[in-house]
């Protein structure tokens, strides 16, 4: 959910800050520029992390009194992965969906009705969304399927197919995690 990411950017130090040490000026400019900024394919920047790792030589542009430095630095970034479960508090509930506060960090996350877990319905009396699974049908299905054979002669009732499906899901998740780690190493 939260990751450290390497970023590289050209940071401009305005003329009034040139009297300060370069490191201090660059850190203040990074702190002004990056927090609460969404960077595509990176995530939401929370804050810079530590001092800059590398500061290039300052370049002066004609007609501009500021110095421009190529800087490499780290930032703490909020980047949830696909299908990650986040814990939140429901702040509003209405027929169109619910509004959730995630960790006091994001206060207005809207989840529309069509994304609610099935079978869910809006209870107007309570003013809340209610999940209403039907457990009785599941028990009946298990009893009906219990004595049947899947016809392949091994008598496992299709359990191997389910295990193979789970193994494939685990492999895919592991590959996705490895790809994310490679991306982090590249940054």
């Amino acid at each position: 959910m939260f990751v450290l990411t390497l970023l590289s950017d050209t940071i401009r130090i305005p003329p009034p800050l040139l009297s300060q040490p370069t490191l201090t000026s660059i850190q203040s400019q990074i702190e002004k520029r990056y927090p609460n900024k969404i960077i595509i394919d990176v995530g939401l920047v929370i804050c810079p992390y530590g001092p800059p790792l590398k500061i290039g030589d300052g370049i002066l542009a004609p007609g501009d009194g500021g110095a421009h430095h190529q800087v490499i630095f780290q930032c703490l970034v909020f980047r949830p992965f696909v299908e990650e479960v986040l814990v939140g508090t429901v702040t509003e509930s209405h027929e169109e969906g619910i509004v959730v506060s995630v960790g006091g960090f994001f206060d207005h996350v809207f989840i529309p009705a069509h994304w609610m877990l099935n079978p869910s319905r809006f209870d107007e009396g309570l003013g809340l969304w209610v999940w209403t699974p039907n457990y009785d049908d599941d028990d009946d299905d298990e009893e009906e399927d219990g004595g049947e054979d899947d016809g392949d002669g091994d008598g496992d009732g299709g359990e191997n197919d389910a295990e193979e499906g789970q193994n494939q899901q685990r492999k895919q998740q592991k590959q996705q995690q490895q790809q994310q780690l490679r991306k982090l190493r590249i940054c």
Side-chain angles (χ1 to χ4, degrees):
M1 180 181 336
F2 293 98
V3 294
L4 283 178
T5 302
L6 274 179
L7 297 175
S8 177
D9 195 6
T10 301
I11 303 294
R12 179 183 182 271
I13 300 176
L17 296 180
L18 290 174
S19 62
Q20 296 178 0
T22 305
L23 179 63
T24 306
S25 300
I26 288 176
Q27 282 181 321
S28 68
Q29 291 302 304
I30 291 172
E31 288 171 2
K32 282 168 86 176
R33 187 178 198 175
Y34 280 94
N36 286 330
K37 186 174 192 177
I38 296 175
I39 301 174
I40 295 175
D41 294 330
V42 174
L44 173 70
V45 176
I46 305 301
C47 64
Y49 181 79
L53 302 175
K54 184 178 178 188
I55 300 174
D57 294 333
I59 297 172
L60 299 174
D64 183 10
H68 301 264
H69 293 269
Q70 188 66 31
V71 180
I72 296 175
F73 56 97
Q74 287 183 313
C75 284
L76 180 65
V77 176
F78 175 73
R79 179 177 45 200
F81 57 87
V82 176
E83 295 186 9
E84 179 175 2
V85 176
L86 301 176
V87 178
T89 304
V90 176
T91 56
E92 295 178 34
S93 180
H94 39 80
E95 286 190 55
E96 291 82 31
I98 59 174
V99 178
V100 179
S101 173
V102 180
F105 185 63
F106 296 108
D107 290 330
H108 301 288
V109 177
F110 178 70
I111 301 171
H114 63 274
W115 283 0
M116 296 292 181
L117 187 62
N118 282 330
S120 294
R121 63 178 176 78
F122 184 73
D123 187 336
E124 292 180 17
L126 295 173
L128 299 172
W129 279 88
V130 180
W131 183 49
T132 55
N134 191 352
Y135 293 112
D136 295 334
D137 289 345
D138 292 342
D139 292 339
D140 294 341
D141 291 344
E142 288 177 13
E143 289 173 8
E144 291 172 7
D145 294 341
E148 295 179 11
D149 189 8
D150 61 355
D152 61 1
D154 59 5
D156 65 352
E159 291 175 4
N160 284 342
D161 294 340
E163 287 177 8
E164 287 176 12
Q166 289 175 349
N167 287 338
Q168 286 179 340
Q169 280 184 325
R170 287 187 198 117
K171 286 180 185 178
Q172 288 175 348
Q173 288 175 346
K174 192 171 186 177
Q175 288 173 349
Q176 289 174 348
Q177 289 172 348
Q178 289 173 347
Q179 288 174 349
Q180 288 174 348
L181 286 174
R182 283 189 210 116
K183 286 180 185 177
L184 288 175
R185 290 180 190 143
I186 291 171
C187 293

